Amino acid sequence: MFGVKVSPFLLSVTIKHHIEKYREQYPAATKMLDTCLCVDDVISGADDISQALRISKDADTIMKNASIKLRKWNSNYQTLMRTWEYKGLETHPRHSENKSRVQSSKVLGIPLNVIHDYFTIDVKGLLEFHTSKPDTKRIVLQSASKIYDPVGFLSPYTIKLKCLLQELWLRELAWDDELPSDIMKHGHNGGQSFLFCQN
């Protein structure tokens, strides 16, 4: 039922119903599939390579029995990636032995450097958008809405935007009114925009 609003819910419920049959046989894999599944991505980890391999193989077996193929297995550990490939699991992206070539993937839509194990959030587009517009309540709202951060990495920053927007509502500013001078004075620092310089 692609395109139906309840499709993600139906997929989740179907998978949860299916894995219940395997709780005793594969406890670690069913726990992972039950708690670490987000729409069509499984995001998890393990303490060592043998545990990771066992859980991934068990999860693959469970899902194959539901005619669902788990793909794009990914790890920052090269040996595990090679072992998965040897065992027939589909890995993605293929890791290069050339460490200078950055390997990246996405977790919940956020780019992850797989080799060095860190997330990146690109705000260049937001900076370009904001510097080309006057500072108004509309721009504050648009800027806050452009930030994709499902995990909350940028919460210390985004909460300031939300507090600023609340303050603008309390002052009953129109959407395209210039921001008051006291807010601009507090927010500007060395000519940079308030959206990126509040303390």
Side-chain angles (χ1 to χ4, degrees):
M1 295 189 0
F2 292 101
V4 179
K5 287 184 180 180
V6 296
S7 293
F9 169 77
L10 293 175
L11 173 63
S12 177
V13 168
T14 302
I15 290 172
K16 284 182 184 295
H17 176 75
H18 171 71
I19 64 177
E20 284 301 320
K21 298 182 280 187
Y22 300 93
R23 284 232 184 254
E24 290 184 18
Q25 188 178 1
Y26 304 118
T30 52
K31 181 180 178 184
M32 180 194 72
L33 290 170
D34 193 27
T35 60
C36 301
L37 187 68
C38 181
V39 186
D40 60 352
D41 289 331
V42 177
I43 305 153
S44 186
D47 294 328
D48 55 59
I49 189 170
S50 59
Q51 182 187 26
L53 186 60
R54 179 175 44 82
I55 291 174
S56 56
K57 286 292 291 177
D58 292 348
D60 188 58
T61 300
I62 291 168
M63 298 309 284
K64 271 184 182 172
N65 291 339
S67 299
I68 299 173
K69 182 179 181 181
L70 296 179
R71 304 178 304 119
K72 299 181 182 178
W73 291 93
N74 209 348
S75 172
N76 60 344
Y77 195 53
Q78 291 284 342
T79 305
L80 180 57
M81 291 292 289
R82 286 192 289 270
T83 307
W84 277 335
E85 289 174 4
Y86 176 75
K87 296 286 187 180
L89 295 177
E90 183 183 330
T91 60
H92 177 78
R94 300 242 181 240
H95 279 226
S96 170
E97 297 300 329
N98 177 7
K99 299 287 186 185
S100 64
R101 197 172 140 222
V102 176
Q103 295 286 344
S104 64
S105 188
K106 285 194 174 181
V107 176
L108 296 175
I110 303 173
L112 168 69
N113 182 304
V114 179
I115 292 174
H116 300 292
D117 208 18
Y118 64 80
F119 290 98
T120 57
I121 298 177
D122 183 14
V123 295
K124 184 181 177 186
L126 182 58
L127 284 166
E128 290 172 355
F129 164 78
H130 178 70
T131 55
S132 65
K133 307 281 185 181
D135 291 328
T136 64
K137 182 167 76 172
R138 185 183 308 276
I139 296 303
V140 174
L141 178 61
Q142 287 177 343
S143 297
S145 302
K146 283 181 176 289
I147 299 169
Y148 177 72
D149 182 30
V151 181
F153 291 137
L154 299 179
S155 292
Y157 165 71
T158 55
I159 192 68
K160 291 181 181 182
L161 280 177
K162 292 173 184 176
C163 289
L164 175 61
L165 190 59
Q166 184 178 35
E167 173 69 20
L168 298 177
W169 275 106
L170 290 172
R171 293 189 187 197
E172 299 181 356
L173 289 174
W175 283 108
D176 295 312
D177 287 350
E178 290 277 338
L179 297 185
S181 59
D182 61 319
I183 289 178
M184 296 295 286
K185 184 178 178 183
H186 171 72
H188 275 68
N189 183 3
Q192 293 181 334
S193 164
F194 73 90
L195 292 178
F196 295 94
C197 298
Q198 282 196 353
N199 296 325

